[in-house]
Amino acid sequence: MKAFQFTPDSNSPIPKFQQLIQAFQDAISQKIFQPGDVLPSVNEMCRECSLSRDTVFKAYAELKKRNVIESVPNKGYFVSGEITRVFLFLDTFKAYKEVLYDSFRKRLADNVIVDLHFHHYNIDVFKSQIRESVGKYSKYIIMNFDHPKVAACLKQLDPKNVMIIDWNIKADDQHSQIFQDFGESVLTSLQSGLEEIKKYKEFSMIYPDYTYHPYDTVEFFLRFCKQNKIKHSIYTDIDSIEVKKGAAYFSVSDRAMAKILDKAREKNLEFGVDIGLVSYNETPMKKYIDKGITVISTDFDLMGKKVAEFVTTSERVYYCVPTQLVMRKSL
């Protein structure tokens, strides 16, 4: 039996049986235990780690449920297979990312463990999390952002084990990439809704000064309006938005979208009749808000599926997930 050490943290809010589960999963992923190896007996764990029998039994039962270990009567517990640990590094957690995350997780095998982290567009957090993760994971799934130091951080990781998702900025040619197009696809999507958009006297884009949304979308919005001779404007301060009858609005921020909804209700303006609204990124609730919010969105369920395939097969992939307009009552 290989050396295995575990010291429960009595001050941690994480129950001891869950700490033990994580310790065994880490040991298996780091090859301290390999398939077929015998684990310490319940009595050994109780004696050496000062744990109750109930805690050890509960941890082993959950590991069996996950198909990580198996038990043989009168012989003990054995490692049944390898564990793949995945480092999932998102920017922030919003409703549409929950769709991506759920799609990703439900397509993974029981022996795949996902550690979820967030960088919140903070380069210091990004650097420290990447540095601390080096060598601890089989796969690295990372949402990049536009900062000059991002590319250097990623060079610490083996590129064949890295996938850049959602935005392929600062990515290396050797990285797998599953991303959306924030430019040309937006133009195509708006063009598909041209007939509805032209019902309105003007078309305004809401691009708040606090957003990290790629500026490509602004550039292609402007191109769309100029090509089709549509009166247009750009708002960066959401408090200055003037909601007017006969105008349509395109918001890349859900916070700004809520502001438009509030101001429209104050003036008793009906969406799809008096004013129009297009939102960026589909979420599960937008089809129900005000009889349906029109969206321009990529397919986050498909993105999650493609990411899971990379983790499962390790095959290098470069794929742009389609973006399209979903027409609803608000436009």
Side-chain angles (χ1 to χ4, degrees):
M1 185 181 2
K2 297 179 176 61
F4 172 75
Q5 295 182 332
F6 171 69
T7 302
D9 182 357
S10 299
N11 296 319
S12 172
I14 301 173
K16 290 181 181 179
F17 84 94
Q18 290 183 351
Q19 294 182 40
L20 183 56
I21 289 170
Q22 187 63 56
F24 274 122
Q25 288 179 159
D26 290 345
I28 295 170
S29 67
Q30 294 167 16
K31 311 298 184 184
I32 294 174
F33 290 114
Q34 305 223 21
D37 284 350
V38 63
L39 298 183
S41 70
V42 173
N43 288 336
E44 285 178 290
M45 290 301 301
C46 292
R47 183 176 62 253
E48 296 176 10
C49 302
S50 300
L51 296 170
S52 69
R53 292 179 63 83
D54 181 63
T55 295
V56 180
F57 272 124
K58 199 170 182 179
Y60 280 0
E62 179 59 27
L63 289 167
K64 282 183 64 178
K65 183 180 177 181
R66 298 181 187 182
N67 297 319
V68 173
I69 67 173
E70 57 188 21
S71 61
V72 178
N74 302 318
K75 291 188 177 181
Y77 295 90
F78 297 82
V79 178
S80 58
E82 295 184 353
I83 286 180
T84 298
R85 288 191 67 194
V86 177
F87 180 79
L88 179 59
F89 204 15
L90 304 183
D91 45 20
T92 57
F93 203 73
K94 296 181 179 179
Y96 66 90
K97 286 167 190 161
E98 186 174 1
V99 175
L100 186 158
Y101 180 74
D102 288 345
S103 173
F104 171 57
R105 286 301 305 265
K106 74 182 182 183
R107 290 180 167 91
L108 297 177
D110 292 337
N111 68 331
V112 178
I113 307 301
V114 179
D115 288 346
L116 178 60
H117 302 265
F118 300 96
H119 56 69
H120 300 284
Y121 304 100
N122 184 312
I123 191 59
D124 292 327
V125 172
F126 189 89
K127 287 167 62 178
S128 65
Q129 292 275 21
I130 292 293
R131 183 175 61 249
E132 292 170 9
S133 74
V134 174
K136 296 180 180 179
Y137 296 89
S138 302
K139 294 289 185 292
Y140 296 81
I141 313 300
I142 299 171
M143 274 189 175
N144 272 2
F145 64 108
D146 191 6
H147 192 285
K149 294 184 179 180
V150 163
C153 292
L154 295 177
K155 289 187 181 298
Q156 300 173 76
L157 306 173
D158 186 341
K160 72 175 183 295
N161 296 326
V162 175
M163 170 172 275
I164 304 303
I165 63 171
D166 196 42
W167 192 9
N168 62 343
I169 194 167
K170 308 297 183 185
D172 189 286
D173 289 342
Q174 298 181 70
H175 295 146
S176 287
Q177 298 173 48
I178 301 289
F179 59 96
Q180 59 174 307
D181 172 26
F182 293 95
E184 191 72 44
S185 291
V186 173
L187 175 62
T188 302
S189 297
L190 290 173
Q191 199 66 37
S192 70
L194 178 62
E195 184 177 343
E196 296 299 323
I197 293 169
K198 294 202 80 167
K199 294 190 311 184
Y200 301 94
K201 296 176 184 178
E202 60 183 287
F203 194 22
S204 296
M205 182 174 183
I206 319 300
Y207 187 79
D209 46 19
Y210 57 75
T211 187
Y212 287 93
H213 187 96
Y215 194 77
D216 292 7
T217 302
V218 177
E219 294 176 342
F220 280 85
F221 167 82
L222 293 172
R223 184 183 300 184
F224 165 76
C225 292
K226 291 173 183 176
Q227 285 179 355
N228 294 287
K229 297 180 172 56
I230 296 172
K231 183 181 178 182
H232 59 278
S233 58
I234 306 288
Y235 285 97
T236 57
D237 178 5
I238 65 173
D239 291 325
S240 70
I241 298 171
E242 183 181 355
V243 174
K244 299 180 290 186
K245 184 175 181 178
Y249 301 86
F250 173 33
S251 177
V252 299
S253 161
D254 285 352
R255 196 194 318 174
M257 180 191 75
K259 182 78 71 173
I260 295 169
L261 290 167
D262 287 340
K263 291 188 175 186
R265 285 172 183 163
E266 289 173 3
K267 295 184 177 182
N268 293 315
L269 299 176
E270 182 180 350
F271 285 98
V273 178
D274 300 317
I275 65 171
L277 177 62
V278 180
S279 177
Y280 204 97
N281 287 327
E282 177 72 294
T283 68
M285 291 304 297
K286 285 181 182 175
K287 67 176 70 174
Y288 303 111
I289 299 172
D290 257 273
K291 300 179 182 178
I293 302 296
T294 297
V295 297
I296 291 177
S297 183
T298 195
D299 187 337
F300 290 104
D301 183 78
L302 177 59
M303 187 178 290
K305 177 184 177 183
K306 291 287 186 180
V307 176
E309 288 175 358
F310 168 74
V311 170
T312 302
T313 66
S314 296
E315 293 181 2
R316 187 174 179 277
V317 60
Y318 183 89
Y319 182 74
C320 182
V321 182
T323 295
Q324 62 183 3
L325 179 76
V326 180
M327 185 68 70
R328 297 194 180 112
K329 178 72 166 54
S330 71
L331 191 62

